[in-house]
Amino acid sequence: MTAPRGDGLGIEPGSDGTRSDGTGRLKVAVLQATGLVNSPQQNLHGLAGHAQEAHQQGADLLVTPELFTAGYAPSLVHSTDGAPQRKRLAEIASSLGMALVASTVEHHEGRRYISASFFDRDGTELTRYRKQHLFGPAENQAFDAGQEPPAVVPFGGINVALGICFDIEFPEFARAAAVAGAELLCIPTAVPLRSGDPSREEDGAGGDGDGGVADPFDTRLIPSMVVPTRALENQLFIAYANHSGPNFAGLSTIADPFGRRLAAAADDSQLIQAEVELVTLREARRSTDYLAHLSIGTPAARPHAAAHSSKGPQ
């Protein structure tokens, strides 16, 4: 199989905004666990076990953390391309008949990216996205930033797009995906635990290398407050998969278009699940259709708003 090239390339939705055939209802699982650095075989073995558990619980799609298979340590894992890991991830998806979102290191034409792949039930890699917003010196020194937005791909009657970690902390990123037609954003992430404790500011935990300097920003606010807000203001679902504690913030979540956390993890290793249904999205847009009322921002917003004003909530 020749995988689609990265940087947001994939199967694009129809220009009329219509959805693929499907139920418009998915059971989405999110894995919260920490991958061991430079131990891809062990991490893949663990991921396969978690995927089997999610499948047994009826999940249609499993979302996993950022660089889980390699282990999150940019300076230590960036030199090894994740192609063999992606091959095994495709095998896991096809063996279970369950879709899978996973993040790997990608080497392409002399550049190195943090990527996320969306594997269909048969193992086909529907799309691969390269992280646009790199976090801190550790990532910026080890990787190149992606230059293209994520593709929107249909799956089970729902339009899905990918993002990675720091991307979702930018309102413009989520808004652009929503305007492009995304109804579910899948976000592998590696948010470190920062709660004013300088001992946790370490490169291996996703910190910025300023060890010994307490950071007043509590990163637990990202999954507990920022992610539900992005879902609310863009009226879509977000499945957000973080690494577990103690070095990471945990609190992985699945948020709905009303800004509710349908499922939320604590800080330990967990598998959470929730139903993603288009009927909920339509209800949210019928209640307060933020996208239909866009009058400023990207030019792409205006056709979207016009379509909604003429056809009603989609």
Side-chain angles (χ1 to χ4, degrees), residues 211-224:
V213 179
D215 190 325
F217 177 48
D218 187 343
T219 53
R220 292 172 294 189
L221 293 174
I222 299 168
S224 64

Side-chain angles (χ1 to χ4, degrees), residues 234-273:
N234 294 291
Q235 297 184 311
L236 43 65
F237 291 88
I238 299 178
Y240 184 85
N242 196 14
H243 290 254
S244 54
N247 290 325
F248 295 87
L251 306 184
S252 299
T253 191
I254 302 172
D256 81 352
F258 286 103
R260 299 174 298 195
R261 298 174 73 193
L262 301 180
D267 62 358
D268 56 342
S269 295
Q270 282 186 255
L271 189 68
I272 61 173
Q273 296 196 24

Side-chain angles (χ1 to χ4, degrees), residues 141-303:
Q141 291 168 11
F143 294 105
D144 297 284
Q147 299 300 312
E148 297 295 331
V152 178
V153 299
F155 176 73
I158 293 177
N159 287 338
V160 182
L162 306 179
I164 303 174
C165 198
F166 202 32
D167 287 330
I168 200 62
E169 297 177 45
F170 293 83
E172 300 83 358
F173 177 86
R175 177 52 52 87
V179 166
E183 295 159 336
L184 168 63
L185 272 175
C186 296
I187 311 289
T189 192
V191 172
L193 177 59
R194 286 184 173 181
S195 56
D197 181 355
S199 68
R200 298 191 183 275
E201 308 302 309
E202 300 174 356
D203 174 79
D208 59 11
D210 295 332
V213 179
D215 190 325
F217 177 48
D218 187 343
T219 53
R220 292 172 294 189
L221 293 174
I222 299 168
S224 64
M225 182 178 71
V226 174
V227 170
T229 298
R230 292 288 173 271
L232 169 67
E233 65 195 5
N234 294 291
Q235 297 184 311
L236 43 65
F237 291 88
I238 299 178
Y240 184 85
N242 196 14
H243 290 254
S244 54
N247 290 325
F248 295 87
L251 306 184
S252 299
T253 191
I254 302 172
D256 81 352
F258 286 103
R260 299 174 298 195
R261 298 174 73 193
L262 301 180
D267 62 358
D268 56 342
S269 295
Q270 282 186 255
L271 189 68
I272 61 173
Q273 296 196 24
E275 297 282 351
V276 169
E277 300 179 276
L278 282 186
V279 64
T280 303
L281 184 144
R282 293 182 181 122
E283 288 171 355
R285 293 183 178 179
R286 189 175 298 115
S287 174
T288 308
D289 197 342
Y290 293 117
L291 298 181
H293 288 85
L294 287 176
S295 59
I296 59 175
T298 62
R302 287 186 279 276

